[in-house]
Amino acid sequence: MTAIWAGIDAGKTHHHCVAIDENGHRLLSRRVANDEPDLLQLLTDVLALGETVTWGIDLADGGAALAIALLLNHEQPVHYISGRAIHRASESYRGEGKTDAKDAAVIADQVRVRRDLHPLRAGDGTVADLKILTGRRLDLVADRTRTVNRLRAQLTGIFPGLERALDLTNTGPLVLLTGYQTPSALHRTGKTRLETWLRNRRVLRADQLAETALEAAGRQHTSLPGEKLTAQMVHTLAAEVMALNQQIAEMDKAIEARFREHQAYEVITSMPGLGVILGAEFLAATGGDMDLFGTADRLAGFGGVAPVPRDSGKISGNLHRPRRYNRRLQRVFYISALFSIRYCEDSRRFYERKRAEGKRHIQAVLALARRRVNVLWALLRDGRTYEAKPPTARTA
């Protein structure tokens, strides 16, 4: 049986493919357009070289999505190898130059000699949708953060007292800034009119917000240069933040509706600290198939919550934070652990014990996150929801 290994250096408009035999000799080297007819022709030509073909690729989505889908639809085994791994491996091959053809050859040879590469599988439709939705939500949240920071900077330039007094993550202060941005405007309005104006726009605790704003205005009677233009920018930025809040709220509803259709919804959301959004991000980051990881340890390593050893010679037990891991998944594990400390008695006790052992806050939270990975793994493996164990009765 003739075995062939094919490596694809994926790009946005074109890919480069190199096929090698069991001795590492190149049998094919071709640049192909990222179009279905060209990719199908490449598949036909590579399959004609041998009886079995194993493919490797340096992207798992994006520009490589079409090529991966075509290969999987034709029941071809495809393995993912990261760009960093290719870069490091290429240093051991002859020549210092870097070309698409060389990268594709390195991918093919790495797939030939390695047995620990991540196999790609046809994605679950729900998981694919959640990946798109959660990715878009992260973009919106990042846009909101940037806009809020710009809003704070502009408001500080003309009315620093009001910027300090307002929590711009809440809707009420944003509504206030769409109408009033300067001390003089608040002075002219007065508390009664301002409170009525806020109530007409359905602002909660309008009386408290009006009092806070007027108290800040009472401490500033100086108009600063550029105040009029800056006030217009504050108005615009506040409206943009409110629009982003609305988009994020709509995205949250879409994520929840899609997430509820997944079979692991009840299991994942039963974990303390793992709500709808974090649970959906967990599925998007892992694909939902725990068999791909094999063990809870590998899942923890993929999520960046398992320390890795750096021992040498007489030095042992030297652990450090991993450098290669999925940032989104680590964020899910870390934030859910923080929430569980607040709402779960067992998590809080574990965190306090680690702090008592001398660990810093972040170290204690990561230790808790690592422990929670084992629990989540077991729940998904057994298909059961989380249940807090009742306290053990003490014997007299």
Side-chain angles (χ1 to χ4, degrees):
M1 180 180 292
T2 306
I4 302 296
W5 291 265
I8 298 178
D9 181 59
K12 182 178 179 181
T13 59
H14 291 80
H15 309 314
H16 199 104
C17 177
V18 169
I20 62 175
D21 60 15
E22 59 184 4
N23 296 316
H25 297 147
R26 293 193 187 187
L27 305 177
L28 177 146
S29 180
R30 181 186 302 173
R31 186 171 186 261
V32 295
N34 191 15
D35 291 316
E36 186 169 339
D38 291 9
L39 292 172
L40 289 175
Q41 184 60 51
L42 173 67
L43 175 61
T44 301
D45 295 343
V46 173
L47 290 177
L49 298 175
E51 297 178 5
T52 62
V53 181
T54 303
W55 300 77
I57 196 165
D58 62 343
L59 288 177
D61 50 20
L66 177 59
I68 293 172
L70 291 174
L71 292 173
L72 294 178
N73 290 342
H74 287 80
E75 299 181 350
Q76 296 295 300
V78 186
H79 293 80
Y80 167 72
I81 178 169
S82 68
R84 175 179 293 201
I86 297 168
H87 175 70
R88 291 183 174 179
S90 64
E91 296 177 355
S92 62
Y93 290 80
R94 185 172 54 190
E96 297 183 2
K98 182 187 183 305
T99 64
D100 292 343
K102 180 180 179 180
D103 288 345
V106 171
I107 294 172
D109 197 46
Q110 288 293 297
V111 173
R112 180 177 68 91
V113 299
R114 292 180 60 173
R115 298 294 181 269
D116 60 341
L117 295 179
H118 185 67
L120 298 178
R121 301 181 183 179
D124 182 301
T126 302
V127 172
D129 290 347
L130 288 176
K131 188 173 184 179
I132 295 171
L133 292 171
T134 55
R136 175 57 178 161
R137 186 183 187 278
L138 286 175
D139 290 340
L140 290 172
V141 171
D143 290 342
R144 180 177 63 183
T145 300
R146 285 190 291 267
T147 307
V148 168
N149 289 337
R150 295 189 189 106
L151 174 59
R152 289 189 179 280
Q154 294 293 337
L155 186 58
T156 300
I158 60 173
F159 200 169
L162 186 61
E163 189 277 330
R164 290 193 304 269
L166 297 183
D167 182 0
L168 298 183
T169 61
N170 293 331
T171 302
L174 294 171
V175 173
L176 172 67
L177 292 178
T178 60
Y180 302 91
Q181 306 87 26
T182 63
S184 58
L186 290 170
H187 290 152
R188 291 192 302 267
T189 302
K191 182 177 180 181
T192 303
R193 288 177 57 192
L194 179 59
E195 187 175 331
T196 303
W197 187 87
L198 291 172
R199 281 205 176 95
N200 290 338
R201 285 154 182 79
R202 300 180 180 179
V203 173
L204 298 177
R205 293 182 291 276
D207 54 340
Q208 298 179 16
L209 180 57
E211 183 178 352
T212 299
L214 289 171
E215 182 180 350
R219 294 192 298 268
Q220 180 175 335
H221 299 275
T222 302
S223 296
L224 302 179
E227 183 178 83
K228 183 176 181 181
L229 181 57
T230 304
Q232 295 175 1
M233 296 181 67
V234 168
H235 170 274
T236 301
L237 290 170
E240 289 180 4
V241 175
M242 292 175 63
L244 287 169
N245 284 340
Q246 180 63 31
Q247 292 182 57
I248 293 172
E250 294 174 356
M251 192 61 61
D252 289 348
K253 293 179 181 179
I255 290 173
E256 181 175 5
R258 199 71 179 98
F259 186 22
R260 285 182 178 275
E261 299 176 5
H262 196 274
Q263 59 183 2
Y265 171 80
E266 296 292 342
V267 175
I268 294 174
T269 54
S270 69
M271 275 284 291
L274 263 180
V276 171
I277 302 302
L278 290 178
E281 290 184 2
F282 169 79
L283 275 183
T286 62
D289 187 359
M290 296 297 102
D291 293 337
L292 292 176
F293 299 97
T295 64
D297 293 338
R298 291 194 64 183
L299 176 61
F302 182 67
V305 295
V308 295
R310 183 180 286 175
D311 298 343
S312 180
K314 297 181 179 179
I315 300 176
S316 62
N318 184 20
L319 301 177
H320 70 100
R321 184 181 298 183
R323 296 180 180 177
R324 291 180 293 168
Y325 55 88
N326 187 294
R327 263 64 179 177
R328 288 184 62 179
L329 187 57
Q330 188 196 54
R331 174 182 171 275
V332 170
F333 288 153
Y334 187 85
I335 294 179
S336 65
L338 282 176
F339 282 132
S340 70
I341 294 172
R342 186 181 306 173
Y343 300 111
C344 176
E345 184 67 26
D346 291 338
S347 295
R348 183 164 56 254
R349 284 199 299 266
F350 181 88
Y351 169 81
E352 291 173 350
R353 185 168 74 249
K354 290 300 177 182
R355 291 285 285 167
E357 293 173 0
K359 293 187 180 295
R360 297 190 300 272
H361 169 71
I362 294 178
Q363 293 175 322
V365 175
L366 287 174
L368 174 60
R370 175 64 186 89
R371 180 185 179 93
R372 285 165 51 82
V373 170
N374 290 342
V375 177
L376 181 59
W377 175 272
L379 295 179
L380 290 170
R381 179 196 61 198
D382 300 337
R384 59 187 177 88
T385 57
Y386 177 86
E387 295 181 3
K389 293 183 179 179
T392 303
R394 295 183 179 179
T395 57

